Amino acid sequence: MLTAQPRPIILRRSDIINFAGKHHRLTSKTTPFPGFRRRLPIRAVISGGDNKTSAAEVVVEKAKEDNGSLASSSKSGSINVKAVITIRKKMKERLTDKIEDGWESFINGIGRGILIQLISEEIDPATRSGKSAESFVRGWLPKPSNNPYIVEYGADFVVPRDFGCPGAILISNFHDKEFFLVESVVHGFSEGPIFFRADTWIPSRKDNPESRIIFKNQAYLPSQTPPGIKDLRREDLLSIRGNGKGERKLHERIYDYDVYNDLGNPNKSEDTVRPVLGNEDWPYPRRCRTGRPPTKKDPFTETRVEKPHPVYVPRDETFEEIKQNTFSAGRLKAVLHNLIPLIAAKMSSSDIPFTNFSDIEKLYNEGVLSKEEEQKAVKMNQILANVMNQLLTVGDKLLKYDTPAIIKRDRFAWLRDNEFARQILAGVNPVNIQLLEELPILSTLDPAIYGPPESAITREILEKELHRTTVEQAIKEKRLFILDYHDMLLPFMEKMNSLPGRKAYASRTILYYTETGILRPIVIELSLPPTPSSPSNKRIFTHGHDATTYWIWKLAKAHVCSNDAGVHQLVNHWLRTHASMEPYIIATHRQLSSMHPVHKLLHPHMRYTMEINALARQSLINGGGIIEACFSPGKYAMEISSAAYKSMWRFDMEALPADLIRRGMAVEDPSMPGGVKLLIEDYPYAADGLLIWSAIKEMVTSYVDHYYSQTNSVKSDVELQSWWDEIKNKGHHDKRNEPWWPNLATNDDLSGILTTMIWVASGQHAAINFGQYPFGGYPPNRPTLMRKSIPEEGDPDYEKFLHNPEYTFLTSLPTQLQATKVMAVQDTLSTHSADEEYINQLNDIHRLSFNDPEVQELFKRFSTKLEEIEQIIHQRNKNIKLKNRNGAGVPPYELLLPSSPPGVTGRGIPNSISI
């Protein structure tokens, strides 16, 4: 590999050169803090270096020894060229950082800090590799006035006239610490300025002696790679893959696979032992390998890293500064929201429940503690008083929750049946409703273990609720739908209900789509595993009209919502977007060169995902984490996620049209967006999602056809075929033998695969993530667990229920501590960072990575299409005929609007799973 070797530092007076008069400038807009985005649209231009004329060419008789460049041995002439590198500095610097920056500027100034090697696309006959030239950057450049966090350095080269066009640069960092390289631009060649977009951390040679390879902004299929950089293409991929051994260091960028073996902590206690996910018993997608040593008590479980220590992810996958600040602010809010209720809980014998609706409303109006409760807490002891005083001086905004969208317009909407049903189509989890196609409803579970397969929902029960319509007529007209969590949850019911403070049922909910276009729930079935005394342990609930039935029906709906919240978080959100996307990201880096057109296309859709997944393993989905503490499945949460992966996850069904057809919510229709026609036109998630899906598909198809214009070019692309094989056989190893994996032989195959991946990372994740706080921030609307069974006549608590049903309902919900924990986390997960990159910005993002006008025009058309879609969605939300997105107190459906400002907005489609 072409690596730079360290040179002795010899300081001469002539070495100290000031470049301030060299007319360096920034020509593109930059964004100051706090909106400082990752992909800074910076284009450095050296005066005189942009002309494609011979003005930049100079005949050199003798190479200048002190500029460290490779001089031409030919007296016929050489050319002077200049490389300008753009480096991003920290926004928040300590005094020591500023001192180090000053020293680094000095070292760069004298030409001993950063070495650049230019590698030509042409072969040097002597070395049989790309021609090369090298030079240290030198000089002190003035800070650009429009962005104090960007600095530039220049390096001068003298190269032969026949050097050819540079296809790669190699960067070596001789400083003691890493730096963030935004871009390098090479001036002086006849082709004009040549851009090398980087957006990467360059480690110190003390940490990694190999030079970092940066390819120019040109997409090449493997067969089209210029001969001078073919070896670098292969070497770069080899360095990224690593050798699968040892513990990874934070400065590395090694991508490899491992199972989920770090969720439990056997060293801590028996109660924190968790099964390894990623084997025959518990199949699961693979995560990024960290190589940490095994625990002492279980050789198959990896030692955990607890906060505040970071979990390894490849260096370029980590949050950047603005994102870190946003996430840290969210964590502070979570601490404040959780600590104060914890203090309140300690003041009583146990964690306190909500006992009336005023308790909940205080969270938004007064804060998590009333003044009276604050004074009680302060009086407990002096230490606690000091803590409280510090917290209470932070400010009211941190101590109060924002009013969630679900109650902002109508405080009582959540109580109504039509709102319960509306959220199944237009809420945060609109992906589980299915068409009911036949009766009886049958379970696929083993009847020897789980009892008779027939549901207790009979034709007679349904027809009582359908009034004048027969079941046969309703099924024929496709008006009956089901929300079915029976088979997914019943195998776990016994274990879940053995946990303290948990009472759950496996549920089925039948809904009827009325002639007026309203979906309403008509029957709920709640089931428990059979017992000797009750072989068919199923209870049926209908809404009824008397007071007692009304409250019982409300409790039944709350249990359904609790199941829905758990399936949403563990299956649809975590498993189907976060966990399933990580193997695609790892394989893309390991098998596709950064100059491969598919890598370039997917790159914006991989941002921050591995980091947020690592943080989730650290404190959300781990043993004893937030999900276990606050959701019904408790310590069995990830087992349910694994079981769902085993029974239902299919790559081919993650495509939106295929998923809708599978659930019976749409039928094929080539004339409609996405090629399908919806059974329920007013299905906001699906209607808006199909617009986004179609736009992505159109863009991806054009992109694939542009790069794969030759017959069999997809099949003959060795990197692409290795990529797809690795996704199937390593990334989703436990599903490797499934027959439903798509083939990868044609342009259509590739377009379908890439469209699915981009949809999952962007539109699908946005639809089921950014509504978490708007819908879940009011605990009665989406309780994450239920603590009491539904009372029956003869139960000890039945009389208490009749006397005070509101108390029974509220004390069945999560406790105040559980609820506020979830609310704080949902608030963080629903927040857009100030540096978020949205799908409608792909044109600007890709403009910095492609020099192909046709490709740039393609992304420009895509951005224009998304602007049109945004206007269509706005018009739909104003249509009074669409009752699931318009009406008195009804919040508009905006989760699939492409753009958004920062914060909790309930809208916006980021390019990637970034939170």
Side-chain angles (χ1 to χ4, degrees):
M1 180 174 177
L2 293 165
T3 57
Q5 299 300 317
R7 302 181 175 196
I9 296 178
I10 303 174
L11 301 184
R12 296 191 299 269
R13 186 173 181 178
S14 60
D15 284 326
I16 306 176
I17 304 170
N18 192 330
F19 279 74
K22 296 276 186 173
H23 306 293
H24 292 49
R25 61 188 175 92
L26 295 175
T27 61
S28 294
K29 295 179 181 179
T30 56
T31 307
F33 186 86
F36 187 81
R37 291 178 55 240
R38 178 192 190 199
R39 294 179 175 85
L40 291 165
I42 293 170
R43 289 293 187 245
V45 178
I46 303 300
S47 179
D50 285 333
N51 297 326
K52 295 185 178 182
T53 67
S54 59
E57 300 180 8
V58 180
V59 177
V60 181
E61 296 291 338
K62 182 181 178 183
K64 294 182 180 179
E65 187 177 311
D66 63 354
N67 76 355
S69 56
L70 180 71
S72 171
S73 59
S74 170
K75 292 186 179 181
S76 62
S78 303
I79 58 173
N80 283 351
V81 298
K82 181 181 289 288
V84 179
I85 63 171
T86 304
I87 294 174
R88 191 187 68 202
K89 296 173 59 181
K90 285 184 179 180
M91 296 174 187
K92 293 183 178 180
E93 290 188 311
R94 299 168 299 178
L95 178 60
T96 54
D97 292 326
K98 293 181 179 179
I99 294 172
E100 288 177 356
D101 284 347
W103 173 248
E104 288 175 2
S105 295
F106 173 74
I107 296 299
N108 288 336
I110 63 176
R112 289 297 181 266
I114 301 170
L115 181 69
I116 303 177
Q117 292 174 267
L118 303 182
I119 308 299
S120 172
E121 293 182 339
E122 297 182 6
I123 291 287
D124 185 335
T127 62
R128 296 186 179 181
S129 59
K131 298 175 183 179
S132 67
E134 68 178 40
S135 176
F136 277 92
V137 305
R138 63 174 70 239
W140 297 271
L141 302 183
K143 281 186 178 180
S145 60
N146 57 345
N147 199 314
Y149 310 113
I150 290 296
V151 294
E152 290 181 339
Y153 292 98
D156 293 309
F157 299 81
V158 180
V159 301
R161 285 180 179 275
D162 62 355
F163 183 81
C165 181
I169 59 173
L170 275 60
I171 306 287
S172 297
N173 175 11
F174 288 85
H175 295 296
D176 289 336
K177 67 177 184 178
E178 66 183 1
F179 65 83
F180 189 86
L181 178 65
V182 176
E183 184 177 58
S184 179
V185 186
V186 178
H187 304 268
F189 288 96
S190 59
E191 292 84 353
I194 302 167
F195 296 97
F196 298 79
R197 194 67 189 181
D199 283 326
T200 187
W201 289 96
I202 307 297
S204 167
R205 283 180 63 90
K206 294 193 308 180
D207 293 324
N208 184 355
E210 292 189 349
S211 302
R212 174 61 54 82
I213 303 169
I214 310 293
F215 296 105
K216 76 173 185 179
N217 294 1
Q218 175 72 46
Y220 290 114
L221 295 175
S223 61
Q224 300 168 341
T225 311
I229 57 175
K230 272 188 175 180
D231 288 346
L232 291 182
R233 182 172 187 146
R234 183 181 67 255
E235 290 172 12
D236 191 42
L237 285 173
L238 289 174
S239 69
I240 286 171
R241 293 172 195 162
N243 59 12
K245 299 178 181 178
E247 183 174 354
R248 298 272 65 88
K249 304 296 188 294
L250 294 178
H251 66 266
E252 294 177 328
R253 58 174 196 134
I254 304 296
Y255 294 78
D256 204 353
Y257 302 96
D258 207 344
V259 295
Y260 278 72
N261 60 356
D262 63 343
L263 301 179
N265 189 357
N267 290 344
K268 186 176 181 181
S269 70
E270 189 69 26
D271 193 52
T272 57
V273 173
R274 297 294 180 271
V276 172
L277 305 184
N279 51 51
E280 187 175 346
D281 294 330
W282 298 108
Y284 220 62
R286 297 303 189 256
R287 65 166 176 92
C288 180
R289 179 185 178 275
T290 65
R292 297 193 300 269
T295 60
K296 294 178 181 179
K297 293 188 177 181
D298 181 4
F300 299 105
T301 299
E302 188 174 84
T303 305
R304 283 184 53 76
V305 174
E306 305 293 352
K307 293 189 300 183
H309 304 292
V311 176
Y312 169 80
V313 294
R315 184 64 181 98
D316 291 339
E317 305 296 331
T318 57
F319 288 168
E320 294 178 25
E321 209 167 346
I322 289 179
K323 183 71 171 181
Q324 288 174 346
N325 294 340
T326 302
F327 200 75
S328 296
R331 281 192 305 214
L332 173 61
K333 187 181 289 188
V335 168
L336 294 176
H337 282 157
N338 293 329
L339 182 57
I340 296 177
L342 178 62
I343 292 170
K346 294 297 183 183
M347 294 165 60
S348 62
S349 58
S350 62
D351 192 9
I352 52 179
F354 295 110
T355 57
N356 55 69
F357 286 100
S358 297
D359 290 342
I360 301 173
E361 292 175 0
K362 285 179 183 177
L363 298 175
Y364 320 110
N365 300 327
E366 300 180 15
V368 288
L369 280 186
S370 67
K371 292 298 180 183
E372 182 180 343
E373 289 168 325
E374 289 170 10
Q375 294 304 317
K376 289 181 181 178
V378 170
K379 291 178 181 178
M380 287 183 67
N381 58 56
Q382 190 58 44
I383 297 176
L384 186 57
N386 291 336
V387 172
M388 289 297 298
N389 286 334
Q390 291 176 21
L391 294 179
L392 296 175
T393 56
V394 173
D396 286 344
K397 186 169 179 58
L398 282 175
L399 298 177
K400 290 181 183 178
Y401 288 88
D402 292 330
T403 302
I406 188 58
I407 60 167
K408 188 172 287 186
R409 296 183 176 208
D410 183 350
R411 289 170 54 205
F412 305 107
W414 65 277
L415 284 166
R416 296 194 298 269
D417 283 354
N418 64 338
E419 178 60 23
F420 170 87
R422 190 190 73 84
Q423 290 182 36
I424 294 173
L425 296 173
V428 71
N429 189 41
V431 297
N432 283 108
I433 184 173
Q434 302 176 64
L435 179 69
L436 181 62
E437 300 186 71
E438 61 181 4
L439 286 179
I441 302 166
L442 298 175
S443 170
T444 60
L445 299 175
D446 185 352
I449 301 174
Y450 299 105
E454 294 84 7
S455 167
I457 301 174
T458 63
R459 176 177 279 97
E460 293 72 26
I461 291 173
L462 287 174
E463 289 188 346
K464 284 182 182 178
E465 302 303 317
L466 294 175
H467 304 300
R468 298 176 183 176
T469 304
T470 66
V471 168
E472 286 76 14
Q473 182 182 355
I475 289 177
K476 183 180 179 180
E477 295 177 359
K478 298 184 177 181
R479 292 189 177 277
L480 288 178
F481 296 86
I482 184 170
L483 191 65
D484 192 347
Y485 298 133
H486 179 276
D487 287 9
M488 186 185 297
L489 297 179
L490 190 63
F492 294 91
M493 276 299 113
E494 191 172 342
K495 292 193 288 189
M496 287 168 56
N497 286 327
S498 69
L499 299 172
R502 300 288 202 283
K503 293 299 177 185
Y505 303 88
S507 62
R508 290 188 179 109
T509 306
I510 306 299
L511 304 106
Y512 178 67
Y513 187 57
T514 69
E515 290 80 357
T516 59
I518 293 296
L519 193 68
R520 62 181 179 89
I522 56 175
V523 179
I524 293 174
E525 176 192 69
L526 299 181
S527 302
L528 293 172
T531 63
S533 61
S534 182
S536 182
N537 207 350
K538 300 177 172 70
R539 296 177 64 184
I540 297 295
F541 303 88
T542 57
H543 45 76
H545 299 287
D546 63 279
T548 302
T549 308
Y550 170 81
W551 275 103
I552 293 289
W553 173 249
K554 188 185 297 185
L555 284 166
K557 287 195 299 180
H559 276 276
V560 172
C561 289
S562 174
N563 287 346
D564 192 71
V567 171
H568 162 259
Q569 200 65 265
L570 294 167
V571 179
N572 299 325
H573 182 209
W574 169 255
L575 169 65
R576 293 177 62 188
T577 63
H578 285 260
S580 294
M581 193 72 196
E582 186 155 342
Y584 312 152
I585 297 170
I586 297 172
T588 299
H589 284 283
R590 284 170 54 87
Q591 297 298 338
L592 299 180
S593 166
S594 60
M595 60 177 138
H596 194 289
V598 170
H599 184 123
K600 286 181 174 289
L601 176 68
L602 290 178
H603 191 259
H605 307 291
M606 304 187 293
R607 185 184 186 218
Y608 292 156
T609 302
M610 293 180 71
E611 172 82 341
I612 196 64
N613 286 3
L615 290 168
R617 297 200 314 274
Q618 195 172 38
S619 59
L620 283 179
I621 62 170
N622 60 301
I626 299 289
I627 300 299
E628 288 193 1
C630 302
F631 283 75
S632 285
K635 63 188 293 185
Y636 307 105
M638 292 302 287
E639 293 181 21
I640 290 177
S641 185
S642 172
Y645 178 68
K646 183 177 184 177
S647 65
M648 62 161 282
W649 187 88
R650 294 177 48 158
F651 180 87
D652 60 330
M653 292 298 160
E654 295 305 293
L656 177 60
D659 174 61
L660 292 169
I661 291 171
R662 171 174 65 170
R663 293 189 283 120
M665 301 303 293
V667 294
E668 291 189 28
D669 185 343
S671 68
M672 301 295 288
V676 298
K677 178 178 175 60
L678 295 174
L679 262 65
I680 298 177
E681 179 186 354
D682 189 12
Y683 185 180
Y685 157 77
D688 294 355
L690 286 169
L691 295 178
I692 301 295
W693 168 274
S694 300
I696 295 172
K697 182 69 180 296
E698 181 182 343
M699 177 268 290
V700 169
T701 300
S702 298
Y703 184 91
V704 168
D705 289 345
H706 177 78
Y707 284 105
Y708 292 91
S709 57
Q710 303 299 316
T711 304
N712 293 326
S713 53
V714 168
K715 190 180 293 186
S716 62
D717 186 334
V718 292
E719 286 184 7
L720 190 69
Q721 294 299 325
S722 296
W723 169 77
W724 187 233
D725 285 344
E726 187 164 290
I727 285 172
K728 294 183 293 183
N729 295 313
K730 288 189 176 181
H732 286 272
H733 178 78
D734 304 320
K735 293 273 191 175
R736 65 193 181 280
N737 296 322
E738 296 287 357
W740 41 252
W741 284 104
N743 293 320
L744 182 53
T746 67
N747 286 21
D748 286 345
D749 295 339
L750 179 57
S751 297
I753 289 167
L754 294 175
T755 301
T756 297
M757 290 180 178
I758 293 172
W759 161 253
V760 168
S762 57
Q764 180 68 11
H765 179 258
I768 59 178
N769 179 73
F770 293 104
Q772 289 195 75
Y773 187 79
F775 286 98
Y778 186 67
N781 185 58
R782 286 182 66 77
T784 55
L785 60 82
M786 295 296 284
R787 299 192 301 132
K788 293 181 179 180
S789 301
I790 297 179
E792 296 184 75
E793 288 188 58
D795 289 346
D797 292 333
Y798 189 73
E799 289 300 321
K800 293 180 181 178
F801 160 69
L802 294 178
H803 179 70
N804 191 344
E806 178 183 324
Y807 180 87
T808 298
F809 178 83
L810 288 172
T811 55
S812 297
L813 302 181
T815 65
Q816 291 197 27
L817 179 58
Q818 289 169 331
T820 52
K821 268 188 180 180
V822 171
M823 290 165 65
V825 171
Q826 288 174 334
D827 181 80
T828 300
L829 297 182
S830 301
T831 299
H832 290 297
S833 173
D835 73 337
E836 190 65 89
E837 295 178 351
Y838 299 94
I839 195 167
N840 62 321
Q841 297 171 327
L842 277 176
N843 179 44
D844 292 330
I845 293 167
H846 281 310
R847 184 171 51 83
L848 302 175
S849 302
F850 291 92
N851 61 2
D852 188 327
E854 287 187 39
V855 174
Q856 292 181 359
E857 180 61 29
L858 184 157
F859 287 114
K860 184 177 179 180
R861 290 199 304 269
F862 178 64
S863 294
T864 301
K865 182 71 173 179
L866 290 175
E867 290 175 6
E868 295 172 0
I869 290 172
E870 189 151 319
Q871 293 307 311
I872 291 171
I873 294 174
H874 282 310
Q875 290 303 314
R876 286 176 173 176
N877 286 331
K878 295 176 183 177
N879 187 343
I880 59 174
K881 295 180 180 179
L882 301 178
K883 297 179 175 61
N884 288 322
R885 56 202 313 161
N886 186 285
V890 176
Y893 187 78
E894 298 182 331
L895 288 170
L896 285 169
L897 283 173
S899 67
S900 175
V904 179
T905 63
R907 60 173 289 177
I909 304 177
N911 288 316
S912 61
I913 301 168
S914 58
I915 190 66

